[in-house]
Amino acid sequence: MLYVVAAIAIVVSMILALVRAVFGPTVFDRILAANMFGTKTVLLIAVAGFLMGRPDFLDIALAYALINFIGTIAIMKFFRYRMLGLPRAGEDLGDL
Amino acid sequence: MTLFDPAWIDVAILAFMAIVAFVVALLRSVFASVMLMGIFSLLSATLFVILDAVDVAFTEASVGAGISVVVFLGAMSLIPSPKAHGRTRPLLGALVCIACGALLILGTLDMPTYGDPQAPIHLHVADRYLSESLEATDVPNVVTSVLASYRGYDTLGETTVIFTAAIAVLILIGGSWRDGVKAPARADKETGDA
């Protein structure tokens, strides 16, 4: 019962994040919505694992959290520096 | 179907995927479409996890939601704004998409139902792998024994392809760095100290 309520709450918050990703006026709304959707995906996988009697989904959810974090870092780095390649010689790169 | 049956999660995820796909097709902002494509990949990865295809789900999450979003953004910064050319042919594109989708659905009609024990994939060599792989290969995990022992040369070839691709990408991306080409102007100036 607890897991069902948690899953419903997560699905509802996924809807809200989706609304923000679709209508979000600025770039940062959408980045945040995509990142939050990734977090909700991690939680949903974890809860669905307990709901289906497969608690080992928890490890998969943890690995997803790592992928999501790296993806967000990559997107933010792209918006900071407008490129994906290695830093050029003599370019000031800040403290990323 | 009650709430205690986890199948409603599948229905919710599939509904999300349909909504996201339509919104991606309809939105005019390329950046929003790229972000929504990342969300779509996360949703399909979740569906793969629930269908017990964890390895496919990992690939989908890292490639679809991770790398391809970044590559799309990189391509976005290189091409001019799509608003520059006004005339498009939405009807032709829609027809091509509907035809391709209809062909794909036609292809799935012959497939066995999910979890069918009489499906061809379960009748061929799966029994032998399950019963004999431990003695034959001394690997306790059946999937690992298939991947690294029964299909060892196949995996070696795949790894070679991926290694070559990684080297090619590194040469392409790192090329301008080696030549000392001037970096493009940064979008925003740093306000604080670096």
Side-chain angles (χ1 to χ4, degrees):
Chain A
M1 183 63 205
L2 191 66
Y3 295 132
V4 174
V5 174
I8 292 172
I10 290 168
V11 167
V12 168
S13 62
M14 276 170 125
I15 295 172
L16 296 177
L18 203 57
V19 167
R20 191 42 62 204
V22 171
F23 296 107
T26 68
V27 162
F28 302 104
D29 283 321
R30 293 196 161 112
I31 292 175
L32 200 59
N35 185 27
M36 185 182 154
F37 208 89
T39 312
K40 297 300 159 204
T41 310
V42 171
L43 294 176
L44 186 67
I45 290 172
V47 171
F50 282 103
L51 203 59
M52 291 154 67
R54 302 274 310 272
D56 46 327
F57 278 9
L58 209 55
D59 301 338
I60 301 161
L62 280 178
Y64 267 47
L66 293 177
I67 291 172
N68 191 30
F69 177 69
I70 294 170
T72 309
I73 291 283
I75 292 170
M76 297 314 281
K77 180 186 180 230
F78 176 78
F79 269 93
R80 185 74 177 76
Y81 301 115
R82 291 276 152 194
M83 63 181 183
L84 295 171
L86 298 166
R88 267 77 164 181
E91 199 189 24
D92 172 31
L93 275 183
D95 48 1
L96 186 72
Chain B
M1 188 173 71
T2 66
L3 279 179
F4 289 95
D5 182 5
W8 70 268
I9 294 182
D10 298 9
V11 175
I13 290 172
L14 284 170
F16 279 153
M17 285 172 80
I19 293 169
V20 170
F22 272 108
V23 171
V24 165
L26 292 177
L27 271 184
R28 301 309 300 166
S29 155
V30 182
F31 176 78
S33 293
V34 170
M35 285 288 122
L36 283 166
M37 288 292 282
I39 290 178
F40 187 86
S41 289
L42 279 171
L43 284 168
S44 55
T46 314
L47 201 63
F48 288 145
V49 169
I50 291 173
L51 288 175
D52 259 347
V54 178
D55 49 341
V56 185
F58 266 124
T59 314
E60 179 67 39
S62 52
V63 173
I67 296 296
S68 68
V69 167
V70 177
V71 170
F72 274 139
L73 289 176
M76 237 175 76
S77 74
L78 294 178
I79 58 173
S81 171
K83 282 167 192 148
H85 54 89
R87 203 166 60 88
T88 54
R89 291 207 183 136
L91 201 64
L92 185 67
L95 279 179
V96 170
C97 285
I98 290 170
C100 286
L103 273 178
L104 287 173
I105 291 173
L106 192 70
T108 63
L109 289 182
D110 281 343
M111 284 172 67
T113 50
Y114 174 67
D116 183 8
Q118 295 304 311
I121 186 96
H122 296 138
L123 297 177
H124 186 42
V125 286
D127 279 341
R128 200 187 137 169
Y129 285 155
L130 287 176
S131 59
E132 292 179 23
S133 71
L134 187 60
E135 301 145 44
T137 65
D138 264 344
V139 178
N141 188 317
V142 180
V143 175
T144 310
S145 78
V146 170
L147 206 65
S149 182
Y150 286 105
R151 300 180 193 160
Y153 285 116
D154 187 46
T155 308
L156 182 67
E158 283 172 14
T159 317
T160 312
V161 168
I162 291 172
F163 184 65
T164 315
I167 291 176
V169 167
L170 279 181
I171 290 171
L172 282 175
I173 292 182
S176 55
W177 170 65
R178 245 193 352 233
D179 300 340
V181 174
K182 190 88 186 74
R186 198 181 286 174
D188 54 337
K189 280 290 161 203
E190 223 166 348
T191 48
D193 52 341

